[in-house]
Short mmCIF file of all heavy atoms in Angstrom, two decimals:
data_model
loop_
_atom_site.label_atom_id
_atom_site.label_comp_id
_atom_site.label_asym_id
_atom_site.label_seq_id
_atom_site.Cartn_x
_atom_site.Cartn_y
_atom_site.Cartn_z
N MET A 1 0.85 -1.22 0.05
CA MET A 1 0.09 0.03 -0.05
C MET A 1 0.93 1.22 0.01
O MET A 1 1.99 1.27 0.61
CB MET A 1 -0.96 -0.14 1.34
CG MET A 1 -2.26 0.21 0.84
SD MET A 1 -3.43 -0.40 2.14
CE MET A 1 -3.92 1.03 2.94
N ILE A 2 0.41 2.23 -0.69
CA ILE A 2 1.12 3.51 -0.67
C ILE A 2 1.06 4.29 0.55
O ILE A 2 1.99 5.19 0.82
CB ILE A 2 0.72 4.32 -1.97
CG1 ILE A 2 1.01 3.50 -3.27
CG2 ILE A 2 1.39 5.70 -2.04
CD1 ILE A 2 0.52 4.07 -4.47
N GLU A 3 -0.01 4.27 1.23
CA GLU A 3 -0.15 5.14 2.37
C GLU A 3 0.90 5.05 3.37
O GLU A 3 1.38 4.02 3.75
CB GLU A 3 -1.47 4.82 3.06
CG GLU A 3 -2.65 5.20 2.47
CD GLU A 3 -4.01 4.82 3.20
OE1 GLU A 3 -3.91 5.00 4.39
OE2 GLU A 3 -4.88 4.39 2.54
N GLY A 4 1.37 6.28 3.82
CA GLY A 4 2.49 6.33 4.75
C GLY A 4 3.91 6.00 4.21
O GLY A 4 4.96 6.00 4.97
N ALA A 5 3.95 5.70 2.83
CA ALA A 5 5.23 5.48 2.25
C ALA A 5 6.06 6.79 2.22
O ALA A 5 7.22 6.64 2.15
CB ALA A 5 5.11 4.74 0.94
N THR A 6 5.50 7.95 2.11
CA THR A 6 6.21 9.21 1.87
C THR A 6 5.65 10.27 2.70
O THR A 6 4.36 10.23 2.97
CB THR A 6 6.29 9.49 0.48
OG1 THR A 6 7.22 10.67 0.38
CG2 THR A 6 5.08 9.83 -0.13
N THR A 7 6.39 11.29 2.95
CA THR A 7 5.86 12.34 3.68
C THR A 7 5.25 13.46 2.94
O THR A 7 5.81 13.62 1.59
CB THR A 7 6.91 12.97 4.76
OG1 THR A 7 7.88 13.47 4.02
CG2 THR A 7 7.40 11.87 5.69
N ALA A 8 4.57 14.39 3.35
CA ALA A 8 4.16 15.53 2.44
C ALA A 8 5.38 16.42 2.09
O ALA A 8 5.38 16.91 0.94
CB ALA A 8 3.26 16.38 3.24
N GLY A 9 6.33 16.50 2.92
CA GLY A 9 7.52 17.33 2.56
C GLY A 9 8.36 16.74 1.39
O GLY A 9 8.83 17.36 0.54
N ALA A 10 8.46 15.33 1.53
CA ALA A 10 9.12 14.64 0.29
C ALA A 10 8.29 14.74 -0.97
O ALA A 10 8.94 14.99 -1.96
CB ALA A 10 9.35 13.27 0.76
N PHE A 11 7.01 14.80 -0.76
CA PHE A 11 6.23 14.89 -2.08
C PHE A 11 6.39 16.27 -2.62
O PHE A 11 6.56 16.49 -3.81
CB PHE A 11 4.72 14.62 -1.69
CG PHE A 11 3.78 14.94 -2.85
CD1 PHE A 11 3.78 14.09 -3.97
CD2 PHE A 11 2.95 16.09 -2.75
CE1 PHE A 11 2.85 14.39 -5.03
CE2 PHE A 11 2.11 16.26 -3.75
CZ PHE A 11 2.05 15.46 -4.90
N PHE A 12 6.30 17.37 -1.71
CA PHE A 12 6.38 18.65 -2.31
C PHE A 12 7.87 18.99 -2.79
O PHE A 12 8.00 19.79 -3.72
CB PHE A 12 5.86 19.72 -1.15
CG PHE A 12 4.45 19.74 -1.08
CD1 PHE A 12 3.80 19.34 0.09
CD2 PHE A 12 3.64 20.20 -2.18
CE1 PHE A 12 2.49 19.33 0.08
CE2 PHE A 12 2.26 20.22 -1.97
CZ PHE A 12 1.71 19.85 -0.89
N SER A 13 8.88 18.32 -2.13
CA SER A 13 10.28 18.57 -2.67
C SER A 13 10.29 17.84 -4.09
O SER A 13 11.04 18.52 -4.89
CB SER A 13 11.18 17.80 -1.78
OG SER A 13 11.33 18.38 -0.45
N PHE A 14 9.69 16.79 -4.26
CA PHE A 14 9.77 16.20 -5.63
C PHE A 14 9.07 17.02 -6.56
O PHE A 14 9.58 17.13 -7.75
CB PHE A 14 9.03 14.61 -5.52
CG PHE A 14 8.81 14.26 -6.94
CD1 PHE A 14 9.92 13.54 -7.54
CD2 PHE A 14 7.58 14.16 -7.54
CE1 PHE A 14 9.75 13.09 -8.84
CE2 PHE A 14 7.39 13.59 -8.69
CZ PHE A 14 8.54 12.99 -9.33
N ILE A 15 7.85 17.52 -6.33
CA ILE A 15 7.10 18.52 -7.23
C ILE A 15 7.99 19.75 -7.59
O ILE A 15 8.12 20.19 -8.68
CB ILE A 15 5.87 18.88 -6.59
CG1 ILE A 15 4.96 17.63 -6.51
CG2 ILE A 15 5.02 19.88 -7.50
CD1 ILE A 15 4.58 16.91 -7.84
N THR A 16 8.69 20.32 -6.59
CA THR A 16 9.55 21.49 -6.67
C THR A 16 10.60 21.09 -7.60
O THR A 16 10.99 21.83 -8.54
CB THR A 16 10.02 22.01 -5.31
OG1 THR A 16 8.94 22.23 -4.61
CG2 THR A 16 10.86 23.24 -5.52
N ALA A 17 11.18 19.90 -7.46
CA ALA A 17 12.45 19.61 -8.26
C ALA A 17 11.94 19.25 -9.77
O ALA A 17 12.39 19.69 -10.78
CB ALA A 17 13.02 18.33 -7.77
N LEU A 18 10.78 18.60 -9.85
CA LEU A 18 10.07 18.59 -11.24
C LEU A 18 9.90 19.85 -11.96
O LEU A 18 10.00 19.94 -13.13
CB LEU A 18 8.88 17.74 -11.05
CG LEU A 18 8.27 17.22 -12.35
CD1 LEU A 18 9.25 16.11 -12.86
CD2 LEU A 18 6.92 16.42 -12.00
N LEU A 19 9.23 20.75 -11.21
CA LEU A 19 9.02 22.16 -11.78
C LEU A 19 10.24 22.78 -12.09
O LEU A 19 10.30 23.68 -13.06
CB LEU A 19 8.10 22.86 -10.89
CG LEU A 19 6.69 22.37 -10.78
CD1 LEU A 19 5.85 23.29 -9.69
CD2 LEU A 19 5.99 22.41 -12.09
N SER A 20 11.34 22.71 -11.19
CA SER A 20 12.55 23.51 -11.52
C SER A 20 13.29 22.84 -12.85
O SER A 20 14.07 23.50 -13.40
CB SER A 20 13.50 23.60 -10.31
OG SER A 20 13.91 22.23 -10.05
N ALA A 21 13.06 21.60 -13.11
CA ALA A 21 13.72 20.95 -14.21
C ALA A 21 12.88 21.27 -15.54
O ALA A 21 13.50 21.02 -16.70
CB ALA A 21 13.71 19.53 -14.11
N TYR A 22 11.78 21.98 -15.40
CA TYR A 22 10.90 22.24 -16.70
C TYR A 22 11.59 23.13 -17.60
O TYR A 22 11.77 22.91 -18.79
CB TYR A 22 9.66 22.83 -16.21
CG TYR A 22 8.81 23.28 -17.34
CD1 TYR A 22 8.20 22.37 -18.23
CD2 TYR A 22 8.75 24.62 -17.66
CE1 TYR A 22 7.41 22.83 -19.33
CE2 TYR A 22 7.83 25.02 -18.80
CZ TYR A 22 7.37 24.17 -19.56
OH TYR A 22 6.49 24.51 -20.72
N ARG A 23 12.20 24.36 -17.16
CA ARG A 23 12.86 25.31 -18.03
C ARG A 23 14.04 24.78 -18.73
O ARG A 23 14.16 25.00 -20.01
CB ARG A 23 13.20 26.52 -17.16
CG ARG A 23 13.63 27.61 -18.07
CD ARG A 23 13.91 29.01 -17.32
NE ARG A 23 12.70 29.50 -16.94
CZ ARG A 23 12.52 30.42 -16.00
NH1 ARG A 23 13.69 30.89 -15.48
NH2 ARG A 23 11.30 30.90 -15.57
N PRO A 24 15.02 24.00 -17.95
CA PRO A 24 16.12 23.46 -18.72
C PRO A 24 15.76 22.42 -19.73
O PRO A 24 16.23 22.32 -20.93
CB PRO A 24 17.10 22.83 -17.70
CG PRO A 24 16.67 23.52 -16.48
CD PRO A 24 15.11 23.92 -16.59
N MET A 25 14.74 21.68 -19.40
CA MET A 25 14.15 20.54 -20.42
C MET A 25 13.60 21.24 -21.57
O MET A 25 13.76 20.83 -22.74
CB MET A 25 13.26 19.56 -19.80
CG MET A 25 13.88 18.75 -18.80
SD MET A 25 15.28 17.84 -19.32
CE MET A 25 14.21 16.55 -20.07
N LYS A 26 12.88 22.40 -21.47
CA LYS A 26 12.29 23.09 -22.49
C LYS A 26 13.39 23.78 -23.40
O LYS A 26 13.24 23.69 -24.62
CB LYS A 26 11.32 24.13 -22.04
CG LYS A 26 10.55 24.99 -23.12
CD LYS A 26 9.48 25.79 -22.48
CE LYS A 26 8.74 26.59 -23.68
NZ LYS A 26 7.88 27.60 -23.13
N ALA A 27 14.37 24.30 -22.82
CA ALA A 27 15.55 24.84 -23.54
C ALA A 27 16.29 23.76 -24.41
O ALA A 27 16.48 24.04 -25.49
CB ALA A 27 16.40 25.53 -22.64
N LEU A 28 16.39 22.71 -23.69
CA LEU A 28 17.01 21.44 -24.57
C LEU A 28 16.15 21.07 -25.72
O LEU A 28 16.71 20.85 -26.86
CB LEU A 28 17.28 20.37 -23.56
CG LEU A 28 18.03 19.21 -24.05
CD1 LEU A 28 19.45 19.57 -24.46
CD2 LEU A 28 18.15 18.22 -23.11
N SER A 29 14.89 21.16 -25.49
CA SER A 29 13.99 20.62 -26.60
C SER A 29 14.07 21.84 -27.75
O SER A 29 13.99 21.35 -28.88
CB SER A 29 12.55 20.59 -26.10
OG SER A 29 11.50 20.32 -27.17
N ASN A 30 14.08 22.99 -27.34
CA ASN A 30 14.06 24.00 -28.42
C ASN A 30 15.41 23.96 -29.17
O ASN A 30 15.54 24.27 -30.37
CB ASN A 30 13.99 25.42 -27.75
CG ASN A 30 12.43 25.72 -27.29
OD1 ASN A 30 11.55 24.96 -27.79
ND2 ASN A 30 12.29 26.66 -26.44
N ALA A 31 16.46 23.74 -28.44
CA ALA A 31 17.73 23.61 -29.06
C ALA A 31 17.81 22.44 -30.10
O ALA A 31 18.37 22.51 -31.20
CB ALA A 31 19.02 23.41 -28.03
N ASN A 32 17.22 21.36 -29.59
CA ASN A 32 17.08 20.17 -30.51
C ASN A 32 16.23 20.49 -31.82
O ASN A 32 16.83 20.18 -32.87
CB ASN A 32 16.54 18.95 -29.76
CG ASN A 32 16.36 17.73 -30.52
OD1 ASN A 32 17.18 17.38 -31.32
ND2 ASN A 32 15.30 16.99 -30.36
N ALA A 33 15.28 21.19 -31.56
CA ALA A 33 14.41 21.61 -32.78
C ALA A 33 15.21 22.43 -33.79
O ALA A 33 15.15 22.34 -34.96
CB ALA A 33 13.26 22.31 -32.35
N ALA A 34 16.03 23.43 -33.20
CA ALA A 34 16.86 24.38 -34.08
C ALA A 34 17.84 23.60 -34.77
O ALA A 34 18.16 23.83 -35.95
CB ALA A 34 17.47 25.36 -33.13
N VAL A 35 18.49 22.60 -34.04
CA VAL A 35 19.57 21.76 -34.70
C VAL A 35 18.92 20.94 -35.81
O VAL A 35 19.59 20.85 -36.93
CB VAL A 35 20.23 20.89 -33.78
CG1 VAL A 35 21.18 19.83 -34.45
CG2 VAL A 35 21.16 21.72 -32.71
N ASN A 36 17.88 20.40 -35.68
CA ASN A 36 17.14 19.64 -36.75
C ASN A 36 16.86 20.43 -37.88
O ASN A 36 16.92 19.95 -39.02
CB ASN A 36 15.93 18.89 -36.18
CG ASN A 36 16.35 17.71 -35.35
OD1 ASN A 36 17.43 17.05 -35.65
ND2 ASN A 36 15.58 17.27 -34.33
N GLU A 37 16.31 21.69 -37.62
CA GLU A 37 16.01 22.59 -38.77
C GLU A 37 17.34 22.94 -39.48
O GLU A 37 17.24 22.97 -40.71
CB GLU A 37 15.34 23.85 -38.31
CG GLU A 37 13.94 23.74 -37.76
CD GLU A 37 13.37 25.05 -37.26
OE1 GLU A 37 13.96 26.05 -37.51
OE2 GLU A 37 12.35 24.98 -36.62
N GLY A 38 18.29 23.16 -38.94
CA GLY A 38 19.67 23.45 -39.56
C GLY A 38 20.12 22.32 -40.38
O GLY A 38 20.49 22.37 -41.53
N LEU A 39 19.90 21.10 -39.82
CA LEU A 39 20.46 19.85 -40.54
C LEU A 39 19.48 19.66 -41.79
O LEU A 39 20.02 19.30 -42.89
CB LEU A 39 20.32 18.64 -39.70
CG LEU A 39 21.49 18.56 -38.59
CD1 LEU A 39 21.15 17.37 -37.67
CD2 LEU A 39 22.76 18.49 -39.24
N ALA A 40 18.26 19.88 -41.74
CA ALA A 40 17.39 19.81 -42.86
C ALA A 40 17.71 20.76 -43.91
O ALA A 40 17.76 20.49 -45.16
CB ALA A 40 15.90 19.88 -42.32
N GLY A 41 17.99 22.05 -43.54
CA GLY A 41 18.39 23.08 -44.47
C GLY A 41 19.72 22.68 -45.15
O GLY A 41 19.76 22.90 -46.31
N ALA A 42 20.65 22.11 -44.39
CA ALA A 42 21.92 21.72 -44.86
C ALA A 42 21.77 20.49 -45.95
O ALA A 42 22.45 20.67 -47.00
CB ALA A 42 22.88 21.40 -43.86
N GLU A 43 20.86 19.77 -45.53
CA GLU A 43 20.67 18.62 -46.40
C GLU A 43 20.07 19.11 -47.83
O GLU A 43 20.58 18.56 -48.85
CB GLU A 43 19.67 17.61 -45.92
CG GLU A 43 19.50 16.29 -46.55
CD GLU A 43 18.63 15.34 -45.71
OE1 GLU A 43 18.51 15.35 -44.58
OE2 GLU A 43 17.92 14.47 -46.43
N ARG A 44 19.19 19.98 -47.80
CA ARG A 44 18.53 20.57 -49.02
C ARG A 44 19.63 21.28 -49.81
O ARG A 44 19.66 21.20 -51.08
CB ARG A 44 17.37 21.42 -48.66
CG ARG A 44 16.09 20.59 -48.17
CD ARG A 44 14.85 21.53 -48.18
NE ARG A 44 15.09 22.68 -47.31
CZ ARG A 44 14.83 22.87 -45.92
NH1 ARG A 44 14.22 21.68 -45.43
NH2 ARG A 44 14.93 23.82 -45.27
N LEU A 45 20.43 22.10 -49.17
CA LEU A 45 21.51 22.81 -49.73
C LEU A 45 22.49 21.87 -50.54
O LEU A 45 22.81 22.17 -51.65
CB LEU A 45 22.16 23.86 -48.82
CG LEU A 45 23.38 24.54 -49.36
CD1 LEU A 45 23.02 25.60 -50.29
CD2 LEU A 45 24.15 25.10 -48.21
N PHE A 46 22.99 20.93 -49.83
CA PHE A 46 23.94 20.00 -50.49
C PHE A 46 23.36 19.20 -51.55
O PHE A 46 24.00 18.76 -52.57
CB PHE A 46 24.43 19.05 -49.35
CG PHE A 46 25.55 19.81 -48.53
CD1 PHE A 46 25.34 19.81 -47.07
CD2 PHE A 46 26.59 20.37 -49.02
CE1 PHE A 46 26.22 20.40 -46.28
CE2 PHE A 46 27.51 21.12 -48.15
CZ PHE A 46 27.37 21.10 -46.79
N ALA A 47 22.01 18.93 -51.61
CA ALA A 47 21.30 18.29 -52.56
C ALA A 47 21.48 19.12 -53.83
O ALA A 47 21.59 18.56 -54.96
CB ALA A 47 19.98 17.84 -52.21
N VAL A 48 21.34 20.36 -53.76
CA VAL A 48 21.21 21.28 -54.85
C VAL A 48 22.63 21.42 -55.27
O VAL A 48 22.93 21.44 -56.53
CB VAL A 48 20.61 22.75 -54.53
CG1 VAL A 48 21.00 23.72 -55.48
CG2 VAL A 48 19.11 22.56 -54.16
N LEU A 49 23.66 21.58 -54.47
CA LEU A 49 25.06 21.76 -54.73
C LEU A 49 25.58 20.40 -55.49
O LEU A 49 26.51 20.60 -56.33
CB LEU A 49 25.80 21.95 -53.58
CG LEU A 49 25.69 23.37 -53.03
CD1 LEU A 49 26.54 23.46 -51.71
CD2 LEU A 49 26.03 24.52 -53.99
N ASP A 50 25.08 19.27 -55.28
CA ASP A 50 25.46 18.07 -55.85
C ASP A 50 25.01 17.84 -57.17
O ASP A 50 25.38 16.94 -57.92
CB ASP A 50 25.17 16.92 -54.94
CG ASP A 50 25.99 16.85 -53.63
OD1 ASP A 50 26.98 17.49 -53.68
OD2 ASP A 50 25.59 16.08 -52.76
N ILE A 51 24.03 18.66 -57.72
CA ILE A 51 23.45 18.49 -59.03
C ILE A 51 24.50 18.87 -59.99
O ILE A 51 25.12 19.84 -59.97
CB ILE A 51 22.24 19.42 -59.23
CG1 ILE A 51 21.14 18.85 -58.24
CG2 ILE A 51 21.70 19.40 -60.62
CD1 ILE A 51 19.86 19.89 -58.25
N THR A 52 24.63 17.98 -61.02
CA THR A 52 25.63 18.20 -62.13
C THR A 52 24.93 19.31 -63.14
O THR A 52 23.85 19.11 -63.41
CB THR A 52 25.84 16.89 -62.95
OG1 THR A 52 26.18 16.00 -62.03
CG2 THR A 52 26.89 17.17 -64.14
N PRO A 53 25.75 20.27 -63.48
CA PRO A 53 25.29 21.34 -64.26
C PRO A 53 24.84 20.80 -65.66
O PRO A 53 25.49 19.95 -66.22
CB PRO A 53 26.29 22.40 -64.39
CG PRO A 53 27.38 22.04 -63.48
CD PRO A 53 27.05 20.55 -63.09
N GLY A 54 23.68 21.43 -66.26
CA GLY A 54 23.43 20.97 -67.59
C GLY A 54 24.21 21.54 -68.63
O GLY A 54 24.45 20.82 -69.77
N VAL A 55 24.77 22.67 -68.42
CA VAL A 55 25.72 23.24 -69.32
C VAL A 55 27.15 23.08 -69.03
O VAL A 55 27.53 23.26 -67.92
CB VAL A 55 25.47 24.81 -69.45
CG1 VAL A 55 26.39 25.45 -70.39
CG2 VAL A 55 24.06 25.17 -69.73
N GLN A 56 27.82 22.40 -69.90
CA GLN A 56 29.25 22.05 -69.62
C GLN A 56 30.17 22.94 -70.50
O GLN A 56 29.83 23.22 -71.74
CB GLN A 56 29.50 20.61 -69.98
CG GLN A 56 28.75 19.60 -69.12
CD GLN A 56 29.20 19.62 -67.74
OE1 GLN A 56 30.42 19.74 -67.49
NE2 GLN A 56 28.24 19.33 -66.79
N GLU A 57 31.34 23.33 -69.96
CA GLU A 57 32.18 23.98 -70.79
C GLU A 57 32.99 23.14 -71.67
O GLU A 57 33.31 22.02 -71.40
CB GLU A 57 33.22 24.73 -69.79
CG GLU A 57 34.21 25.72 -70.62
CD GLU A 57 35.06 26.46 -69.53
OE1 GLU A 57 34.65 26.58 -68.38
OE2 GLU A 57 36.27 26.70 -69.85
N LYS A 58 33.21 23.74 -73.08
CA LYS A 58 33.99 22.85 -73.92
C LYS A 58 35.40 22.70 -73.51
O LYS A 58 35.99 23.55 -72.94
CB LYS A 58 33.99 23.57 -75.32
CG LYS A 58 32.60 23.48 -75.91
CD LYS A 58 32.59 24.13 -77.32
CE LYS A 58 31.26 24.09 -77.95
NZ LYS A 58 31.31 24.69 -79.25
N LYS A 59 35.92 21.55 -73.82
CA LYS A 59 37.49 21.35 -73.49
C LYS A 59 38.39 22.26 -74.00
O LYS A 59 39.55 22.65 -73.38
CB LYS A 59 37.74 19.89 -73.57
CG LYS A 59 37.14 18.86 -72.79
CD LYS A 59 37.50 17.45 -73.00
CE LYS A 59 36.54 16.54 -72.27
NZ LYS A 59 37.01 15.96 -71.23
N ASP A 60 38.15 22.76 -75.27
CA ASP A 60 39.14 23.59 -75.89
C ASP A 60 38.62 25.11 -75.99
O ASP A 60 39.03 25.84 -76.76
CB ASP A 60 39.22 23.05 -77.43
CG ASP A 60 38.06 23.07 -78.20
OD1 ASP A 60 36.96 23.04 -77.47
OD2 ASP A 60 38.01 22.89 -79.48
N ALA A 61 37.70 25.55 -74.97
CA ALA A 61 37.28 26.79 -75.02
C ALA A 61 38.38 27.78 -74.48
O ALA A 61 39.12 27.43 -73.58
CB ALA A 61 36.00 26.90 -74.01
N PRO A 62 38.41 28.94 -75.15
CA PRO A 62 39.38 29.89 -74.70
C PRO A 62 39.14 30.49 -73.33
O PRO A 62 37.97 30.51 -73.05
CB PRO A 62 39.44 30.94 -75.78
CG PRO A 62 38.16 30.87 -76.40
CD PRO A 62 37.66 29.45 -76.27
N ALA A 63 40.13 31.01 -72.64
CA ALA A 63 39.88 31.66 -71.38
C ALA A 63 39.08 32.87 -71.50
O ALA A 63 39.29 33.75 -72.54
CB ALA A 63 41.18 31.94 -70.73
N LEU A 64 38.20 33.21 -70.70
CA LEU A 64 37.40 34.47 -70.68
C LEU A 64 38.40 35.75 -70.36
O LEU A 64 38.83 35.68 -69.25
CB LEU A 64 36.28 34.45 -69.86
CG LEU A 64 35.23 35.71 -69.86
CD1 LEU A 64 34.55 35.92 -71.16
CD2 LEU A 64 34.31 35.56 -68.77
N ALA A 65 38.39 36.72 -71.26
CA ALA A 65 39.29 37.86 -71.06
C ALA A 65 38.35 38.99 -70.50
O ALA A 65 37.49 39.42 -71.40
CB ALA A 65 40.11 38.19 -72.25
N VAL A 66 38.60 39.43 -69.33
CA VAL A 66 37.81 40.59 -68.91
C VAL A 66 38.77 41.82 -69.04
O VAL A 66 39.83 41.92 -68.36
CB VAL A 66 37.38 40.32 -67.46
CG1 VAL A 66 36.59 41.55 -66.81
CG2 VAL A 66 36.52 39.11 -67.35
N LYS A 67 38.36 42.86 -69.66
CA LYS A 67 39.01 44.11 -69.90
C LYS A 67 38.69 45.08 -68.85
O LYS A 67 39.62 45.82 -68.37
CB LYS A 67 38.88 44.62 -71.33
CG LYS A 67 39.38 43.60 -72.30
CD LYS A 67 39.25 44.18 -73.66
CE LYS A 67 39.86 43.00 -74.68
NZ LYS A 67 39.76 43.26 -76.01
N ARG A 68 37.44 45.32 -68.54
CA ARG A 68 37.02 46.30 -67.53
C ARG A 68 36.08 45.70 -66.73
O ARG A 68 35.23 44.77 -67.00
CB ARG A 68 36.29 47.42 -68.32
CG ARG A 68 37.25 48.21 -69.26
CD ARG A 68 36.57 49.30 -69.95
NE ARG A 68 35.46 50.02 -69.28
CZ ARG A 68 34.70 50.93 -70.03
NH1 ARG A 68 35.10 51.25 -71.21
NH2 ARG A 68 33.73 51.42 -69.35
N GLY A 69 36.21 46.04 -65.35
CA GLY A 69 35.31 45.41 -64.41
C GLY A 69 34.00 46.16 -63.97
O GLY A 69 33.77 46.69 -62.95
N GLU A 70 33.19 46.36 -64.99
CA GLU A 70 32.02 47.07 -64.77
C GLU A 70 30.85 46.33 -65.47
O GLU A 70 30.97 45.70 -66.26
CB GLU A 70 32.08 48.56 -65.24
CG GLU A 70 32.10 48.72 -66.70
CD GLU A 70 32.20 50.19 -67.17
OE1 GLU A 70 32.95 50.91 -66.51
OE2 GLU A 70 31.51 50.45 -68.12
N VAL A 71 29.59 46.68 -64.89
CA VAL A 71 28.47 46.17 -65.40
C VAL A 71 27.51 47.33 -65.78
O VAL A 71 27.29 48.24 -64.93
CB VAL A 71 27.65 45.34 -64.38
CG1 VAL A 71 26.34 44.69 -64.96
CG2 VAL A 71 28.56 44.01 -64.04
N ARG A 72 26.95 47.21 -67.00
CA ARG A 72 26.16 48.45 -67.36
C ARG A 72 24.82 47.82 -67.83
O ARG A 72 24.61 47.00 -68.58
CB ARG A 72 26.71 49.12 -68.53
CG ARG A 72 26.00 50.33 -69.03
CD ARG A 72 26.59 51.08 -70.17
NE ARG A 72 27.96 51.36 -69.87
CZ ARG A 72 28.81 51.93 -70.80
NH1 ARG A 72 28.34 52.11 -72.02
NH2 ARG A 72 29.99 52.07 -70.47
N PHE A 73 23.72 48.47 -67.26
CA PHE A 73 22.30 48.13 -67.68
C PHE A 73 21.81 49.30 -68.46
O PHE A 73 21.72 50.49 -68.01
CB PHE A 73 21.52 47.89 -66.38
CG PHE A 73 21.86 46.70 -65.58
CD1 PHE A 73 22.68 46.88 -64.52
CD2 PHE A 73 21.61 45.51 -65.89
CE1 PHE A 73 23.05 45.79 -63.65
CE2 PHE A 73 21.97 44.38 -65.24
CZ PHE A 73 22.63 44.60 -63.99
N GLU A 74 21.38 49.01 -69.69
CA GLU A 74 20.73 49.97 -70.45
C GLU A 74 19.34 49.58 -70.84
O GLU A 74 19.11 48.40 -71.24
CB GLU A 74 21.49 50.22 -71.79
CG GLU A 74 23.00 50.70 -71.55
CD GLU A 74 23.80 50.70 -72.81
OE1 GLU A 74 23.28 50.57 -73.98
OE2 GLU A 74 24.95 51.15 -72.71
N ALA A 75 18.44 50.52 -70.79
CA ALA A 75 16.97 50.23 -71.07
C ALA A 75 16.61 50.59 -72.37
O ALA A 75 17.22 51.51 -73.13
CB ALA A 75 16.13 50.95 -70.12
#
């Protein structure tokens, strides 16, 4: 039987310890969610980076010569 197995003070000490552990456990859960979101984003990014481009450079293509370093937009 459970009656008399514990005191009221021990019970309230347990409840206090349980409530004081709530904030760290919630922070740990939020950190875990943030890490999982980051890992999912990294997985999607690497999937895009691993795609072979459809346009390939010719083996005998000359090097691109840039004479001036400006971009001009004309309408």
Side-chain angles (χ1 to χ4, degrees):
M1 229 157 101
I2 296 177
E3 282 183 43
T6 185
T7 63
F11 174 73
F12 285 112
S13 294
F14 172 74
I15 295 297
T16 302
L18 192 64
L19 291 175
S20 65
Y22 173 74
R23 186 175 292 164
M25 293 300 281
K26 186 175 179 181
L28 187 62
S29 172
N30 288 341
N32 182 36
V35 167
N36 282 332
E37 285 179 17
L39 288 174
E43 187 176 332
R44 290 189 302 266
L45 174 68
F46 287 125
V48 170
L49 290 176
D50 288 340
I51 294 173
T52 304
V55 178
Q56 297 290 327
E57 186 174 326
K58 292 182 180 181
K59 294 185 189 250
D60 58 346
L64 180 63
V66 178
K67 296 183 181 179
R68 294 174 33 182
E70 69 181 43
V71 177
R72 183 182 306 178
F73 295 100
E74 296 178 5

